[in-house]
Amino acid sequence: MTLASVVHNLPYSIGYCDYNAATSKKLSMASLIVGQNKGNKGFLVRPSLISAYAALANINDKNIDIASDPLINLPGYNSWPILMATYIVLPNKETRDNGQKVMLKSY
């Protein structure tokens, strides 16, 4: 059972999971106030693909290495403040059967 399933099935529970898991279970998601500092009230950002793209759009401006740098508090209006990268490692050999090749192409 995934964390998203537990949160979905347990009334009044709170958990942190990735956006895809939260949307697939139709969980309520918290918005965050970002950009808040002395003299600035900040602005409300909702978790969405748009707010993730807004954060990713500024990576090159800050010389961020997506493979090793933390993807937190990225600059930009409407930027979701916490992102994660997912990697897949595959052998460099053609030993896959047709089912595996079809699955990898769809991924």
Side-chain angles (χ1 to χ4, degrees):
M1 183 175 281
T2 65
L3 174 66
S5 296
V6 172
V7 170
H8 178 57
N9 294 322
L10 188 63
Y12 310 109
S13 60
I14 297 173
Y16 188 88
C17 60
D18 66 81
Y19 179 77
N20 185 49
T23 55
S24 69
K25 291 292 182 184
K26 297 183 174 141
L27 298 176
S28 297
M29 292 183 263
S31 296
L32 298 175
I33 297 174
V34 298
Q36 187 175 23
N37 56 35
K38 195 174 190 177
N40 185 0
K41 293 183 179 182
F43 48 92
L44 194 65
V45 177
R46 299 185 188 286
S48 68
L49 292 177
I50 292 171
S51 60
Y53 291 143
L56 291 172
N58 294 301
I59 283 180
N60 289 338
D61 294 343
K62 294 293 182 182
N63 294 322
I64 295 171
D65 182 359
I66 196 168
S68 61
D69 292 334
L71 301 177
I72 56 172
N73 297 324
L74 296 171
Y77 178 76
N78 201 32
S79 294
W80 188 250
I82 306 167
L83 299 179
M84 71 174 188
T86 303
Y87 301 93
I88 183 169
V89 178
L90 301 170
N92 193 14
K93 295 182 180 178
E94 288 296 325
T95 58
R96 300 178 192 99
D97 64 26
N98 283 337
Q100 289 171 323
K101 289 178 184 177
V102 169
M103 186 270 310
L104 289 172
K105 284 182 181 179
S106 69
Y107 183 75

